[in-house]
Amino acid sequence: MVLGSVTNPPQTHVSHNLGRTQIGVEPFDVGYGAGYEAGEESPKDMECELVEDEGDFRVHRPAAEDRPRRLAFVDGTMRTDARLTRTDENGVTVSGLAGSWGAGAALNKDGALSIERVQVGRATFFGGGQTVRLPDRTNGWSWDAYSEESDDFESLRRRLQRCMREAEGLIADELSGEGWLAVVDGPLHSIRRSRGVPVVGYVKTHHRRMLADEFWRRVPLLSRGERSGLFAIGDDVYGCYLRIGDAGPWAGPWAGIVRVEVPAGAGRQEAIEVAGRASAWLPEYASALHRDARAPVNLTPIAGLERHLRRLQGNPRLALRAVREAVLELNASSEATQQ
C-alpha cells in the first residue's frame, strides 16, 4: 500500500551539537541495510569464450588424481562492528564504520592439516575523505584509520573487503612462491603474482552469467565431480564450472556448482591440465550437509579456517562496546580541547 510520495533527504544533515566535530555510533544493528558478508560487486553478464573442446560445451569427468603433497587453502573473514557518523562544526555529517578482517591459510602437508600465516586487522573507514583515528582501548582493541571519497555505506564495506582480499592475496603469493599449491577462496583478481604460479581460485557464488545462454543452461546438469570445458575470463584467467557435491534434494539447480579459476600465464594447455587435476581432488574436501549450512560448496579446511579467524576477531558485542568507549573518549577529548 502506498501511503504517499516521499522525497529522499540529502545525505548531510544538521547536528544538535554545532560548533565542534563529533563522532557518533548509530543505534541500528549492523545487519540492517547491508549483508553480513560483503559479496563481490555484480557486474553485467558476460559471454566468455570456450577455449577447450573446439568452442563446444562438453562435460569432463576428471580421472582419479592424487591431491598435491603441499596444498594450502587461503581464505579470509570480515565483520562490520559498528556504523559510525562524523559531524563537523558546520553540521555536515558523513558515514563511517568500524570493522575487522582476518586472513590465513589451512596447510595440508602429507595429510596433516595446520592453520598458519594468520593476519587480523581492525580499522575505521569514513566517507567524504575524512580520517578518524579512535583511541586504543584496553584488552588489545585498536583500529587503523582509512578514508574514502564516497559517502555511501556500501562503498565503505567494500573498502573493508578490499583489506581482507589484499591480505589473502599476499598470503597466497607468499605460499605459491614457496612451492605450495594455493587454493584461494574467491576469484583470482586479488593475486598479484598469478601468472604461471601454482594457484587456483575457488568461487562459490555466481553473480552473473558468464557463458552464452545455450551453454549456461547446461552447467547445472553437471553431476558430482564433473566439470565444464575451460573458458577465458578476460586475458589473465581461465575458468571452468565444477559440481563439487550434492546439495540435497531440496536445493536449486545451481547449488553445489563452483567455478574453478587458474592463471592464463602458463598457457592454455597447462591451464586445462591444472583445472582437470584440481577438479579431480577438490570434491574430496566438500563439506557435509549435517555439519555446514553452506555445504557442499564450503570446503572443510576453509570452514575450519573461518571459525579460527572469527575467534581471533573477538566477540562482536565486546567489539561494539570497545568502539563506543573509544568514541566517548574521543568526543570528550575534542570537547575539552575546544573549551
Side-chain angles (χ1 to χ4, degrees):
M1 180 176 64
V2 179
L3 299 179
S5 62
V6 178
T7 301
N8 291 328
Q11 290 185 344
T12 59
H13 63 270
V14 177
S15 168
H16 295 293
N17 296 288
L18 296 181
R20 63 183 178 88
T21 299
Q22 186 174 21
I23 308 303
V25 181
E26 292 294 306
F28 304 108
D29 186 274
V30 294
Y32 289 94
Y36 182 76
E37 295 285 349
E40 299 294 326
E41 295 184 64
S42 302
K44 295 181 180 179
D45 293 345
M46 58 189 298
E47 294 188 5
C48 299
E49 178 186 0
L50 286 162
V51 298
E52 191 177 1
D53 308 317
E54 299 179 345
D56 191 14
F57 185 95
R58 298 179 188 173
V59 175
H60 295 258
R61 175 168 285 277
E65 181 81 25
D66 292 336
R67 60 193 177 194
R69 292 183 60 251
R70 292 167 61 87
L71 180 61
F73 297 89
V74 179
D75 193 20
T77 57
M78 55 170 282
R79 186 180 71 208
T80 301
D81 292 322
R83 290 174 177 261
L84 305 174
T85 59
R86 179 188 185 276
T87 304
D88 66 16
E89 62 275 10
N90 297 315
V92 177
T93 298
V94 298
S95 298
L97 69 81
S100 61
W101 69 90
L107 304 184
N108 191 333
K109 184 176 182 180
D110 297 329
L113 192 67
S114 62
I115 295 177
E116 301 181 22
R117 317 291 173 107
V118 171
Q119 302 177 21
V120 176
R122 305 182 192 281
T124 58
F125 304 83
F126 278 84
Q130 303 297 324
T131 301
V132 176
R133 189 172 299 279
L134 296 181
D136 295 346
R137 305 302 301 163
T138 57
N139 298 322
W141 297 100
S142 62
W143 302 264
D144 295 325
Y146 299 95
S147 65
E148 281 284 302
E149 290 303 319
S150 172
D151 189 32
D152 176 65
F153 188 78
E154 286 306 309
S155 295
L156 302 179
R157 286 180 59 84
R158 287 193 291 271
R159 178 65 183 275
L160 172 63
Q161 185 185 45
R162 286 202 301 273
C163 290
M164 178 191 72
R165 292 295 191 202
E166 288 168 2
E168 291 175 351
L170 290 173
I171 293 170
D173 281 337
E174 183 180 82
L175 287 168
S176 62
E178 297 173 6
W180 293 82
L181 175 58
V183 178
V184 180
D185 191 72
L188 288 183
H189 58 64
S190 60
I191 307 301
R192 294 187 298 181
R193 290 195 299 115
S194 61
R195 289 188 177 272
V197 301
V199 61
V200 173
Y202 183 82
V203 185
K204 300 190 290 282
T205 56
H206 312 287
H207 296 287
R208 55 178 171 171
R209 178 175 60 82
M210 301 189 72
L211 296 173
D213 280 333
E214 59 181 307
F215 301 145
W216 184 252
R217 290 193 295 266
R218 296 166 64 180
V219 173
L221 302 179
L222 295 171
S223 298
R224 182 183 183 276
E226 293 180 342
R227 72 170 179 89
S228 72
L230 218 64
F231 52 89
I233 308 174
D235 297 327
D236 299 327
V237 174
Y238 290 121
C240 68
Y241 288 105
L242 166 70
R243 183 170 290 281
I244 197 74
D246 181 9
W250 50 82
W254 276 86
I257 298 289
V258 300
R259 187 173 78 245
V260 177
E261 294 188 353
V262 293
R268 181 174 62 89
Q269 188 57 42
E270 176 66 17
I272 290 174
E273 294 176 6
V274 170
R277 290 195 297 268
S279 297
W281 49 258
L282 274 172
E284 298 178 22
Y285 295 98
S287 51
L289 295 173
H290 65 281
R291 300 185 64 181
D292 193 330
R294 291 179 291 171
V297 296
N298 200 37
L299 301 179
T300 299
I302 289 176
L305 175 60
E306 289 174 339
R307 288 192 296 269
H308 181 71
L309 293 174
R310 290 192 179 104
R311 285 195 295 269
L312 294 180
Q313 286 176 260
N315 185 292
R317 293 184 179 181
L318 296 180
L320 176 58
R321 186 170 73 181
V323 171
R324 287 172 172 167
E325 291 174 350
V327 166
L328 286 174
E329 179 181 337
L330 184 63
N331 286 336
S333 174
S334 176
E335 183 177 6
T337 300
Q338 296 181 34
Q339 284 180 350

